[in-house]
Amino acid sequence: MSEVSTEGAATVSGEKRIMILGTGAIAHRHAEHFISIPGCRVVAACDVNAERARAFATLHGIERSFADLTEALAWGEFDAVVNATPDQVHKATSLQVIAAGKAIFCEKPLALNAEDAFEMVGAAERAGLINMVNFTYRNAHAIQLARRMVEAGDIGEVRHVDASYLQSWLTGTHWGDWQTDERWLWRLSSGHGSKGVLGDIGVHILDFVTYGTGQGIAALQARLKTFDKAEGGAIGAYTLDANDSCAMTVEFDNGALGVVHMSRYATGKANDLDLMIHGTTGALKIWSNTTESSLEVCLGDDIHTQTWRPVECPPTPRNADRFVLALLSGVNGQPDFRHAAEVQKLLDLAFVSDAERRMLPVVLPPV
């Protein structure tokens, strides 16, 4: 589906009403942002915990709250749903929303596996509904400008890529003590629903890489590692068996090669996404965290002296803004469900590649 453009705004059809589904931590950020966007209004909140749904609605000045999605859909006085439920119920709740004919903006990951994700893609596309996924780092101004430069041919043909998403909360205390805080312990335990660093932040860096380069990944080989972190490999009820680091070699659709790696043991790195795109006539260096981003370029005669220069990145719409633009224009925005399912396919394949110790082709379902 095509990217929402400013031209599409000329066909707006009035204010769009939004319901927020799931009222946990991330939902508060969604409420704050959607409330601030012209052209839409948050009219309801829904959560299986009725008291939490009411408190959330009161806090954000939302008129209605529901403790049951079926009841909320029966009311139906909204145009779109922001799905901020836990990962494991994304599929069931999204399919219910789609069946009711509502547009949907879903948190990442779209589903727990590619098969489920592509089922959601089929449902949304058959229904002809606006569908998008909140890959957070698309909000970075630097990656948006980098993509435009790649598309404009500023660096020639992409030939080599180096990407990483590095955190260090297993060695530093900047986010608290992982050994005593359940917010972090569950992320280390497959029995508590974690797919490790690959499932947690790999989804972001793979989106960052494929979006920034404008290239899909044709084949990959992954190596996963889980390190001993506690006596007996467990802390209380948490068996610490989820992967801590991942190193991946990839081949892109155009034949370019790249490396993609991620870790929670990257001492000295708090929450850093780095992407270097090397082309035949130039190169780009993109950095981002949750709040900031930067872009450096090596272009023209600078490629002969390996001189890098910073570039000012103009502000770009956030994913939530793009979703509202899509609702108003009727033209689907990016990232959509199909892209999210393709990223999920890469994650699934990485686990297989690690188990089989070999490079595997990426085979996607037909459009």
Side-chain angles (χ1 to χ4, degrees):
M1 294 188 177
S2 59
E3 183 84 15
V4 172
S5 66
T6 53
E7 289 80 8
T11 62
V12 297
S13 56
E15 186 178 65
K16 299 300 181 180
R17 303 159 300 169
I18 290 174
M19 181 178 80
I20 296 177
L21 175 61
T23 58
I26 191 66
H28 291 279
R29 294 205 292 271
H30 284 308
E32 290 163 1
H33 197 70
F34 277 101
I35 287 169
S36 73
I37 301 174
C40 75
R41 181 163 52 94
V42 180
V43 298
C46 181
D47 193 289
V48 292
N49 184 319
E51 183 178 343
R52 185 167 64 183
R54 283 193 297 271
F56 180 89
T58 299
L59 177 64
H60 295 288
I62 300 169
E63 295 175 5
R64 288 179 176 264
S65 67
F66 296 89
D68 181 78
L69 177 56
T70 301
E71 181 185 349
L73 292 171
W75 174 64
E77 297 297 317
F78 51 90
D79 305 291
V81 170
V82 174
N83 192 342
T85 59
D87 298 352
Q88 61 269 27
V89 295
H90 281 179
K91 178 188 175 184
T93 53
S94 294
L95 289 178
Q96 196 173 347
V97 168
I98 291 166
K102 306 298 184 182
I104 186 163
F105 181 76
C106 188
E107 265 301 326
K108 68 84 189 170
L110 183 59
L112 297 182
N113 58 67
E115 183 179 0
D116 286 350
F118 278 107
E119 182 180 341
M120 297 162 71
V121 172
E125 292 184 351
R126 285 192 300 272
L129 295 169
I130 298 295
N131 60 91
M132 291 180 61
V133 178
N134 187 34
F135 284 108
T136 314
Y137 295 96
R138 289 288 186 97
N139 297 332
H141 305 323
I143 195 67
Q144 294 291 338
L145 180 55
R147 171 61 180 259
R148 293 197 294 273
M149 294 179 72
V150 169
E151 288 182 331
D154 291 353
I155 65 169
E157 295 295 322
V158 175
R159 287 289 179 261
H160 192 80
V161 177
D162 183 356
S164 64
Y165 189 166
L166 302 177
Q167 298 178 336
S168 60
W169 54 266
L170 284 173
T171 61
T173 58
H174 43 286
W175 291 345
D177 181 0
W178 68 266
Q179 298 178 78
T180 59
D181 192 334
E182 293 184 351
R183 291 180 305 160
W184 308 115
L185 279 170
W186 83 265
R187 296 177 186 273
L188 306 174
S189 174
S190 62
H192 288 78
S194 176
K195 291 192 174 182
V197 71
L198 179 62
D200 191 16
I201 64 177
V203 65
H204 284 302
I205 192 62
L206 287 169
D207 173 64
F208 210 67
V209 168
T210 52
Y211 182 70
T213 60
Q215 293 289 327
I217 292 176
L220 63 82
Q221 182 164 4
R223 182 74 175 93
L224 303 174
K225 187 73 173 182
T226 305
F227 296 95
D228 293 333
K229 294 180 284 295
E231 185 176 352
I235 294 178
Y238 297 90
T239 300
L240 310 180
D241 60 346
N243 57 86
D244 302 309
S245 291
C246 173
M248 190 182 297
T249 303
V250 303
E251 180 176 349
F252 293 93
D253 287 342
N254 73 341
L257 296 180
V259 291
V260 183
H261 56 112
M262 59 220 75
S263 181
R264 293 166 173 160
Y265 271 109
T267 304
K269 292 280 192 176
N271 190 60
D272 295 75
L273 286 81
D274 288 280
L275 173 60
M276 293 189 68
I277 308 173
H278 302 277
T280 53
T281 61
L284 306 176
K285 185 187 299 183
I286 305 107
W287 168 85
S288 180
N289 64 15
T290 51
T291 58
E292 303 171 290
S293 66
S294 64
L295 173 64
E296 295 180 55
V297 303
C298 182
L299 301 171
D301 290 340
D302 285 345
I303 69 173
H304 305 296
T305 57
Q306 298 78 54
T307 301
W308 291 83
R309 304 181 190 276
V311 174
E312 184 176 352
C313 301
T316 55
R318 295 171 59 89
N319 290 331
D321 301 297
R322 294 175 186 275
F323 181 64
V324 173
L325 283 173
L327 292 176
L328 293 169
S329 68
V331 179
N332 209 74
Q334 289 289 342
D336 63 7
F337 274 26
R338 181 166 292 277
H339 172 76
E342 291 171 354
V343 171
Q344 188 63 49
K345 178 67 175 181
L346 300 178
L347 296 175
D348 290 3
L349 203 61
F351 283 102
V352 178
S353 174
D354 177 66
E356 297 183 359
R357 296 292 196 271
R358 65 187 181 99
M359 178 76 82
L360 295 173
V362 180
V363 181
L364 298 171
V367 175

